[in-house]
Every structure is written in C-alpha cells, then in structure tokens.
Amino acid sequence: MAERLLWASTPAVRSGGGGKAGGMGPLAGQLGEWLCRAVQPPAPRVCGSPGGPPVTAKRARLSDGRHLAYEESGVPREVARYRIVFSHGFTGSRLDSLRASPEVAEELGVYMVAFDRAGYGESDPNPSRSVKSAASDMAELADALGLGDKFYVVGVSLGCHAVWGALKYIPERIAGAAMMAPVVNYWWPGLPAEAAAWEYGKQSYGDQWALRVSHHAPGILHWWMEQSWLPTSTVVDNTTFLPNKRDAEIRRTLTADGTLQKKKEMATQQGITESYYRDMTVMFGKWEFDPTALPEPPCPVHLWQGDEDGLVPVALQRHVAGKLRWVNYHELPGTGHFLSGVPGLGDTVLRTLFG
C-alpha cells in the first residue's frame, strides 16, 4: 500500500497523460482536491505573531524580512581574533555549541554565534529553504553582527548542509570550515552507487521510507510522517539503534531527564513541518550541486567522523573525504555520532582551526 501511495504521488506519475484518468472527469478532480487538502501541512505559528510563541531571543533581520534568532558565546566579537558562525544539527537550536572550554576560547580569542536555522526555535520559517539559502542566512547573520568580510563556519550533523552550501556559494566569505559528523545524502552522484545502496539498506525500514519520501515526494512528507500506519523515521522518534555505547548512554540520560523532549518542544514550537520535515527535504532532496565534486576552496576545511556512528555511515564519509583531497579528515576510533559528548573534542576543534 505504501509503495503504491508514493508511486502515485511522484511528479512523473501525476503529470502522466493517461486516457483513463481523463475519462474519470469530476470524480478525478474531486479526488485530486481531497488529496491536496490531505497532504497540506498546517500553517506555522510564527514567533511574535498573534497566537504564536513569544520572541525571547536576540534576533537579526535579514534582507527578505525574516528574522534569525541567535546566541553568542566566547570572547566579545569586538575584540575576537576569530569569529565563528555555528549551524546546529537536526532537532537542535541556537543553544547548541562545540562545548569548547571558556579558557581555550579566551586563550585563542574565539567568538561564536549559533543561530536557530530557519523554522527552528525563534527563527522565522522559510518555505523556500534550500542548501543555498542556508549559506545565505549565515552570511547575512555575519553581516548583521559585523563579523567582517571573512568568518569561520562550523556545522554539526545535518546542519553541515549549510557548510557545504557556504563552500559552494560563498567561498570568498569563508576563512575556514569544520564539519562534525556531517550527514550524507545517499543520492549524491559522486557516491559509489553500490556502497550507497548497501548503507541505505542497512537502515530501519521506517528510515528508508522517510528518506525516500523526502527525496522523491517532499510535498507529502508531512502527511506521511503523521500517519501511524506508515513506516516513518526512527531518528525523529529517537529510537534509532545506536551501536556506540557513549551515544546510547547520552540518549538514555537525555531522555530520562526530559532534555530531549524540551529540545523538541523548543525546536518545533513554530511547527514540525518548518523545522524537522523541512530539514529532511532539504538534506535528502535533490541538490543543485554534488559536494563530492566541489573544487578546492580558498580556505582550510576539516571534517571529524566517528567510526561507530550509527547515523552517518563511516564508509561513505571516507569516500567523501577521499574524493576531496583538500578535506582534512579526522576519524575518531570507538566514537559515535554525538561528537559534542566526546570529552575535550570542542577544544581540539578550536586548536585545530586556530592553534
């Protein structure tokens, strides 16, 4: 049943000119209208709007009128030697960071601004969100805060699509980049087809379907994810099998003390479609470029990856780093996906970038 629904919802099938469909007349039209209403997500509850959540964070206004909520850390930006724009991961927020020690940030003179990506937390939704717009948001935030002609970018997990976007669309603005366990898109042309298919097939049935819908039929993702009878994402539900012991323990602790639930409520307060589901369609949709074919940028790029990551296949990450010889690849043995929980890694990242 699920297979037939997705097949029937793809653009290629909808645009087909079969004579039988045309002969159904009014019934087909009514069915089409019903389907359109059924898959339409609810409107977002924009922060600061009537009935929407309140605005409590510092926010910067962008050229298109949207606002980005942000949180600053490290030394004051006016005296900083290095300025970082930080892109949080799936389910994250502006309150996430590298977890570097204040002492190291002070020693190196590092300022960092983390922001709620569009539709998350208190940043306005962007119905046209893309990899390119994610890069543009970082550049506009940097300009709004006066970070200078060049700044550093750091991304975590799925939020690294913004870093890839920055390396593609605004490389002249980037002084250096770091990616922490960056999520891969199984449909990137530069990935080896057999290896990508193998790793894709190792995921749970629900995750395979969630990504398949995100890529092939993003317009029905909200409807799909809200159907209890359909296979959906274990990542969204926080039930994914995590082979690394530290990862599993971190999730148990954060679940038990309510932290994960609070993070979800904060991230999705304007609507789960404009945060989680928009993330999925941007990350796993059809990209305008292939990151594995990017030319060498005019800045150093570092990538950290755990070899026991249960969310990002290390085999595919090795392939990405192998194709992009200019990427400084750091593989961490016995380490999973939640790199912010690795003791001292935040300090290591800063010293690697600036030390």
Side-chain angles (χ1 to χ4, degrees):
M1 177 63 175
E3 289 88 343
R4 292 197 298 271
L5 278 172
L6 180 55
W7 180 83
S9 301
T10 58
V13 175
R14 287 201 305 268
S15 62
K20 291 184 179 180
M24 294 178 68
L27 179 59
Q30 292 172 8
L31 178 61
E33 291 178 6
W34 177 84
L35 285 172
C36 288
R37 289 195 299 270
V39 302
Q40 186 70 26
R45 298 174 60 247
V46 179
C47 282
S49 66
V55 174
T56 65
K58 293 178 287 188
R59 303 206 304 176
R61 184 181 174 87
L62 307 184
S63 60
D64 63 1
R66 289 184 296 115
H67 296 84
L68 291 183
Y70 63 91
E71 187 77 14
E72 299 170 289
S73 62
V75 303
R77 63 177 181 264
E78 295 81 7
V79 299
R81 285 184 289 175
Y82 307 105
R83 298 172 176 88
I84 297 174
V85 178
F86 180 87
S87 176
H88 67 77
F90 190 66
T91 78
S93 76
R94 67 185 183 277
L95 302 182
D96 295 344
S97 73
L98 281 174
R99 296 193 180 179
S101 66
E103 293 79 13
V104 171
E106 179 75 27
E107 172 194 337
L108 297 175
V110 177
Y111 161 88
M112 186 173 75
V113 58
F115 67 103
D116 291 333
R117 292 190 284 100
Y120 271 86
E122 296 184 28
S123 286
D124 292 338
N126 180 4
S128 300
R129 182 145 67 97
S130 65
V131 176
K132 186 174 185 178
S133 73
S136 176
D137 282 359
M138 289 198 296
E140 287 207 52
L141 178 61
D143 290 341
L145 297 178
L147 302 190
D149 294 335
K150 287 182 177 287
F151 54 92
Y152 291 80
V153 290
V154 175
V156 172
S157 189
L158 188 146
C160 289
H161 74 272
V163 177
W164 287 121
L167 295 174
K168 166 65 177 178
Y169 295 111
I170 54 169
E172 72 285 352
R173 300 293 310 275
I174 307 305
M179 290 182 275
M180 316 293 290
V183 172
V184 300
N185 181 321
Y186 294 90
W187 290 271
W188 285 343
L191 293 178
E194 290 187 6
W198 172 258
E199 297 295 342
Y200 179 85
K202 287 164 62 177
Q203 299 178 92
S204 74
Y205 187 65
D207 289 309
Q208 290 182 45
W209 268 104
L211 299 193
R212 187 178 289 126
V213 175
S214 297
H215 185 79
H216 294 291
I220 68 167
L221 180 63
H222 177 274
W223 173 84
W224 186 282
M225 293 291 292
E226 299 301 309
Q227 306 306 307
S228 60
W229 56 279
L230 289 175
T232 57
S233 172
T234 67
V235 179
V236 171
D237 294 337
N238 274 309
T239 58
T240 307
F241 171 69
L242 299 175
N244 179 263
K245 292 182 179 179
R246 183 189 286 117
D247 279 0
E249 181 58 32
I250 288 174
R251 186 172 65 185
R252 278 194 297 269
T253 301
L254 297 183
T255 300
D257 67 11
T259 298
L260 287 184
Q261 180 60 31
K262 291 177 183 176
K263 283 174 64 71
K264 180 176 182 179
E265 290 171 359
M266 178 179 178
T268 64
Q269 63 180 323
Q270 298 183 94
I272 196 168
T273 293
E274 291 300 335
S275 49
Y276 287 13
Y277 301 160
R278 186 76 67 184
D279 250 4
M280 293 166 66
T281 58
V282 169
M283 181 67 232
F284 300 107
K286 298 175 176 65
W287 285 39
E288 295 180 345
F289 66 97
D290 179 4
T292 69
L294 283 175
E296 182 173 358
C299 66
V301 177
H302 294 267
L303 191 160
W304 278 265
Q305 171 71 35
D307 68 349
E308 293 182 0
D309 193 322
L311 298 174
V312 181
V314 65
L316 297 184
Q317 205 73 277
R318 290 168 181 163
H319 181 82
V320 171
K323 288 200 69 174
L324 301 175
R325 296 294 183 180
W326 41 266
V327 168
N328 298 288
Y329 181 62
H330 311 271
E331 189 169 301
L332 306 175
T335 303
H337 186 72
F338 303 146
L339 299 188
S340 62
V342 178
L345 184 57
D347 289 349
T348 299
V349 172
L350 292 189
R351 291 195 183 282
T352 302
L353 284 175
F354 312 126

